[in-house]
Amino acid sequence: MKEIKSYNNYKVKTLFGRYITNNSIEKLLEEYDFNILGFSVKNLPIYSLSYGLGDVKILIWSQMHGNESTSTKALFDFLSYLESYGKELKSRIHLKIIPILNPDGAKAYTRENSNNIDLNRDAVDLSQPESKLLRNIYDEYNPDFCFNLHDQRTIYSLNNFNSSVISFLSPSADDIKSETNSRISSMQVISSVFEKMSTVIPGNIGRYSDDFNLNCVGDTFQSLETPTILFESGHLEEDYQREISRKYVCFSLIYAVNAILNTNIDYKTYYQIPENKKQLCDIKIINIKIKKDSSFERNNISLMYKEKLNLKEKKIEFIPELSQIGELNDINGHLLVDFLNIDKIFNLSTPSCIDEIIRYVNKLRNIH
Ligand SMILES: [Zn+2]
């Protein structure tokens, strides 16, 4: 398992955190055979790189949602692994990689492109330059496989409120979710990755919803009979920089490529992967005294972080916001805090209340 043991040797340490833009990768691209495929709405270059000497062609793109940067980091780790340890793989595959399909969204830290269009709902209309570019490269390159790389929100959970640290999807090719040949090929590869990753993070691997939507790129490519796999980087505990799921996505990419070259695993294993649920919040606080009329009640609340770009420091800030109040038996927190011993009564209608709650959370956890 050299990919696991030597991860810190091949990890690309110049990439870190959530704010990954063209600027972050331009220096790295110079180590590879790269070119400019075209330009975004705001005229930023969209890069692609070619890698490998083999004839099994895999088209990979990341950050079609600009603020989903985890797998872009993982992609460069994956390439670095192939350079150091993957001579045989390199000789058998050929990769065409678009590390940041939506550079405007990456720069502004938005999901959509700068016309406010979700590129993953534009596969039929092809109304945006970024969507056209991806479709053109798909048509020209004629890949044997496609990897569509994303980040999923912190709400995604599995059994027992385990976090969905990584999830996969073999997108549907039609309304009735038929098991087409390309879907089955995708399921086979995912099944193999699932088995391998289950020895690394058992209980933290999920399956993403396979509701059909032809406007999604994966569904379109799958319907054109190219096996396509959606990778979703998720969240673990307090790793808001997503350096942990980055590592797991890297391993998954290595296992996926290996599986494409040689697997005959039963594709039905795919259906045994637990489906993602939405049962997590960022912080759950129980037994908090909340002001009610002239008195108070003890209740539970959930907080979710809003991600905000700090352009000056080129980093993402996480601003806690109130999400829900109530029993909240069906959700858990990545962080769970009990306010039973806090006597203070919090007035949720005052603007500074959440900041105050966070101060108490930090106090309870001895963080100052
Ligand atoms: Zn996405």
Side-chain angles (χ1 to χ4, degrees), residues 88-89 92 192 255-265:
E88 206 229 319
L89 278 180
R92 294 179 63 192
S192 175
Y255 299 145
V257 169
N258 269 302
I260 287 173
L261 295 175
N262 39 39
T263 191
N264 47 17
I265 193 169

Side-chain angles (χ1 to χ4, degrees), residues 6 15 19 36 70 97 100-101 135 145 147 149 162 196 211 225 235 237 239 273 308 311 318 342 345:
S6 19
L15 290 178
Y19 190 53
I36 294 175
T70 306
I97 299 178
I100 301 181
L101 180 64
R135 181 55 194 257
F145 250 92
F147 294 171
L149 309 184
N162 279 354
K196 292 250 185 184
D211 291 339
E225 292 173 15
H235 188 83
E237 295 165 359
D239 179 34
I273 305 172
K308 188 174 161 227
L311 204 50
F318 296 87
I342 306 279
I345 298 164

Side-chain angles (χ1 to χ4, degrees), residues 134-268:
L134 177 61
R135 181 55 194 257
N136 287 342
I137 199 91
Y138 169 82
D139 289 337
E140 275 168 33
Y141 185 56
N142 192 21
D144 298 300
F145 250 92
C146 290
F147 294 171
N148 179 6
L149 309 184
H150 291 259
D151 267 68
Q152 65 187 10
R153 288 173 292 160
T154 55
I155 55 173
Y156 287 105
S157 61
L158 298 162
N159 299 330
N160 307 316
F161 300 107
N162 279 354
S163 186
S164 176
V165 177
I166 182 167
S167 70
F168 301 97
L169 168 70
S170 168
S172 296
D174 55 36
D175 279 328
I176 53 164
K177 306 179 182 182
S178 306
E179 290 182 346
T180 60
N181 288 337
S182 79
R183 259 205 109 193
I184 287 174
S185 298
S186 308
M187 287 176 184
Q188 259 185 329
V189 171
I190 293 170
S191 299
S192 175
V193 175
F194 173 69
E195 289 212 332
K196 292 250 185 184
M197 287 305 295
S198 290
T199 65
V200 186
I201 37 168
N204 292 108
I205 307 157
R207 179 158 56 96
Y208 210 81
S209 161
D210 63 356
D211 291 339
F212 177 65
N213 181 349
L214 196 61
N215 296 310
C216 298
V217 177
D219 302 47
T220 289
F221 290 173
Q222 194 88 277
S223 72
L224 296 168
E225 292 173 15
T226 308
T228 299
I229 297 176
L230 184 84
F231 292 65
E232 294 274 354
S233 305
H235 188 83
L236 185 66
E237 295 165 359
E238 288 180 75
D239 179 34
Y240 284 89
Q241 302 307 325
R242 298 216 169 166
E243 293 294 303
I244 296 173
S245 49
R246 158 201 190 156
K247 180 170 74 175
Y248 296 141
V249 173
C250 172
F251 298 162
S252 302
L253 288 166
I254 296 168
Y255 299 145
V257 169
N258 269 302
I260 287 173
L261 295 175
N262 39 39
T263 191
N264 47 17
I265 193 169
D266 181 3
Y267 73 91
K268 287 199 158 54

